[in-house]
Amino acid sequence: MLDDTLLDDARRLADADTGGWLRAAARAGAQVRATAEAAAEAGVERIFDERPRAVVLVTRPGHAVAVSGVVMALLGSGCPVPVVVSDEVPPWVGALDVVLAHTEDPGDRVLAESIDRAVRRGARTLLTAPDSGPIAAAAAGRAVLLPSRIDVPPGFSFHRALAAWLIVLNALGLLKVDVDVIADELDREAERDHPMHESFVNPAKSLALRVADRTPLLWGLDEVATSVGVHGAGALAAFAGVACDVAGYPQALTRPVLHRRAVQGTSGADLFADPDDEPGSGLVRVLLLAVRQGPAAEALRRAAEDALPGADVLEPAVEVAGGDAVSAALLALRFELAALYLGLAAGTLGGNPYWLGS
């Protein structure tokens, strides 16, 4: 049962947050800043100053899966070099390639073997991971290893990994992103979502209440937004035990029964409906996610809003400037904090939230 009164009682929230999870999430901006400092000290711009034959994004269990999706969407189809997503370093990797990896599990032997393979073959490799265990040993002296400089529990490294990969892609000339702006906007988002702020002025608390007792449908209006939706779904599952549907809106249109339920729900048709009337007909909440701007995105948004008149639209670009990467990072943090608030209010968050494995 959701205790929504807890959300507007800062003292009770603090008592419930036994793991310091809200504070950990709110340190996303600090993690980005610290990662940028570590990258500068490690000479990332010098090491990754030449465009590679290919970029390999290694997606071991954890945040790397969602981060790779965001990065791929930001690069887009016009990226001048191939970008390969794999859970291991491919056998063809060589000295002309760049490998990026992330984990919170220092004992991931599959990743340790992948890092060893990459550096033995001369690939320029950057890894965000703990500085101990088999992975650190595989990277020692041969790869750029950026351990966390900010003390947070496991499960709060999305923004650190994203920052590190964006810094490398900046150096390679494949993206142009100001990570300092990302850090500043994440700090501002954390302030807006502070536990002291009541639900009606707190975007994360408001989002938590909107998806409470509903099945969230996280439907992206562009590729970047859809990839952030993957992270949002992971956070809601990990911290609040909420299962979500994630899809780009064009893909959602190919699911006629679910889309029809979404239309009914957003039109208010099911306001007094009995969810037991039809198997699987529980109440849904449609969240239309938008990151990119432009005529194509606007046309798709209008079509989605016409079909789903009561849907919530989460569009960070109307709140902040700085480009798609900034909006994506902000939206990811809002989902994390909303999931934490929902988990605390529902009593589902407790113990060790070693979410998504690592």
Side-chain angles (χ1 to χ4, degrees):
M1 295 294 293
L2 181 72
D3 181 6
D4 55 2
T5 64
L6 181 142
L7 293 182
D8 289 332
D9 188 327
R11 181 188 60 79
R12 290 175 61 206
L13 263 177
D15 291 342
D17 187 11
T18 56
W21 303 303
L22 289 171
R23 176 175 172 80
R27 302 187 78 184
Q31 289 202 66
V32 169
R33 221 170 267 111
T35 301
E37 292 172 358
E41 293 172 10
V44 166
E45 288 193 2
R46 173 182 54 80
I47 296 170
F48 296 91
D49 63 344
E50 293 183 6
R51 185 164 290 181
R53 176 182 63 173
V55 175
V56 177
L57 308 178
V58 184
T59 54
R60 299 300 298 156
H63 287 302
V65 175
V67 172
S68 67
V70 173
V71 165
M72 288 287 288
L74 289 171
L75 288 168
S77 59
C79 182
V81 302
V83 181
V84 177
V85 178
S86 175
D87 60 358
E88 297 184 41
V89 169
W92 49 260
V93 160
L96 299 178
D97 304 312
V98 164
V99 174
L100 304 178
H102 169 76
T103 188
E104 292 184 66
D105 179 6
D108 185 338
R109 294 194 175 276
V110 173
L111 182 56
E113 292 172 2
S114 283
I115 297 300
D116 180 68
R117 182 183 309 126
V119 295
R120 278 192 292 104
R121 296 179 178 178
R124 290 172 289 167
T125 303
L126 179 137
L127 171 68
T128 48
D131 57 0
S132 61
I135 291 176
R142 302 185 294 171
V144 177
L145 174 62
L146 302 181
S148 176
R149 292 186 171 187
I150 303 295
D151 186 21
V152 295
F156 293 92
S157 64
F158 175 89
H159 291 91
R160 177 165 67 91
L162 178 63
W165 291 14
L166 291 178
I167 289 166
V168 172
L169 295 171
N170 274 344
L172 294 174
L174 301 178
L175 280 178
K176 187 175 182 181
V177 177
D178 190 334
V179 293
D180 290 332
V181 173
I182 292 178
D184 291 343
E185 291 301 339
L186 288 174
D187 286 345
R188 293 188 183 98
E189 177 65 17
E191 173 55 32
R192 286 190 290 267
D193 299 329
H194 193 281
M196 293 294 293
H197 299 321
E198 296 182 343
S199 299
F200 67 92
V201 294
N202 185 315
K205 289 183 181 180
S206 298
L207 178 56
L209 290 173
R210 292 293 288 167
V211 300
D213 302 320
R214 299 287 190 275
T215 297
L217 308 181
L218 310 184
W219 288 348
L221 300 178
D222 56 76
E223 295 86 352
V224 182
T226 304
S227 66
V228 177
V230 173
H231 177 66
L236 286 165
F239 297 132
V242 173
C244 305
D245 179 66
V246 183
Y249 186 68
Q251 182 67 23
L253 288 171
T254 69
R255 304 169 178 175
V257 175
L258 184 58
H259 189 267
R260 183 168 65 247
R261 285 182 51 208
V263 171
Q264 292 170 346
T266 58
S267 67
D270 68 349
L271 184 61
F272 301 105
D274 182 351
D276 295 325
D277 286 346
E278 179 184 346
S281 61
L283 301 180
V284 299
R285 176 76 69 201
V286 180
L287 302 177
L288 297 174
L289 314 180
V291 169
R292 291 199 186 280
Q293 303 293 295
E298 181 61 27
L300 183 59
R301 171 178 171 161
R302 285 198 302 269
E305 288 183 310
D306 288 343
L308 305 163
D312 293 74
V313 179
L314 302 184
E315 188 176 17
V318 302
E319 306 173 42
V320 299
D324 295 345
V326 175
S327 294
L330 186 151
L331 187 57
L333 177 57
R334 186 169 298 175
F335 269 117
E336 286 186 10
L337 287 163
L340 288 168
Y341 281 126
L342 186 57
L344 291 170
T348 58
L349 183 59
N352 179 13
Y354 195 60
W355 71 295
L356 294 182
S358 59

